[in-house]
Amino acid sequence: MKLNLEKLKHALSSQTFKNDLVSNNLANVNTTGFKRDIMFVDMLDEIETDNYNKNTITEFNQGTLKNTGNPLDIAIQGKGFFVIEYEGNEYFTRDGHFTVNMDGNLINSDGFKVLGQNGEINVSIDGDKTGQISLSKAGEIFVDNEYIDSLKIVDFDDYKNLRKQGVNLFSSYNNVEGFEPENFLVLQNNLETSNVNSVNEMVELITLHRNFESTQRAVRTLDDALGKAANDIGRYR
């Protein structure tokens, strides 16, 4: 009975963890380029669930592309990530909602610089105002029809080498090098939406709440039974 109680308590802990995961997915349903997280055990076709395993997996399937009409909104169709520089380190994202800072550099929504093949991308004209920006589907950047640079876009053989770092960025685990993908398109005036399906996540959340309540009741029942057994043993000594 003690073993069953321990398993139930671990199940409660696992369900709480998963609840937080699903809630975070739902909170980011409108976050550009966000990638959904699931628990590793959800990928296994097993009858017995490992309640001790709280490892997570990020699903990297592409979200829907949405036309915004903003020339600084850029989406990647296919494989690959934009490269962002912050404090001398490179990070990777599918969020292509970019702007231009006061120095004329292309930056992401958090103010970090977007990198091109030659480093940071400056789209100002003679260090002053910004001209008309256009991009080819290969990621080439033009300002007033003059070639400036090409977006640095990289991909990885195994996405398990990527770790979420907050603010919609990924870092490379153990500094695994990325490479330029062969099959991708850069689409200006577009953004990639989150790959979270809000209906599926809500159904999952409701199921989790029901399972949590059932497990709680089972834990209370076992606790009461153990307490009663302990009292009865003490009474008949």
Side-chain angles (χ1 to χ4, degrees), residues 154-215:
V154 302
D155 198 22
F156 296 86
D157 285 320
D158 190 348
Y159 290 162
K160 291 179 183 176
N161 291 316
L162 295 178
R163 297 288 186 272
K164 282 191 174 182
Q165 296 298 325
V167 292
N168 222 6
L169 299 178
F170 294 89
S171 64
S172 174
Y173 185 65
N174 286 335
N175 295 316
V176 173
E177 292 289 333
F179 59 89
E180 184 175 354
E182 294 182 0
N183 300 314
F184 71 91
L185 294 175
V186 173
L187 302 179
Q188 193 175 12
N189 304 302
N190 283 270
L191 286 177
E192 179 184 351
T193 62
S194 166
N195 67 355
V196 174
N197 184 308
S198 59
V199 174
N200 291 344
E201 298 296 324
M202 283 299 299
V203 170
E204 183 72 23
L205 206 57
I206 292 168
T207 302
L208 276 169
H209 286 172
R210 288 174 177 168
N211 290 342
F212 189 85
E213 290 173 354
S214 298
T215 308

Side-chain angles (χ1 to χ4, degrees), residues 129-140:
K129 64 180 181 178
T130 301
Q132 183 177 357
I133 300 171
S134 59
L135 281 89
S136 73
K137 292 185 177 181
E140 300 164 317

Side-chain angles (χ1 to χ4, degrees), residues 68-104:
T68 66
N70 182 346
L72 292 180
D73 284 344
I74 305 167
I76 300 172
Q77 182 173 297
K79 298 286 188 178
F81 298 83
F82 301 108
V83 183
I84 307 297
E85 188 273 331
Y86 175 62
E87 294 185 345
N89 297 312
E90 290 189 353
Y91 296 90
F92 314 97
T93 186
R94 294 282 295 192
D95 182 359
H97 180 56
F98 301 143
T99 56
V100 177
N101 66 12
M102 294 181 64
D103 298 321

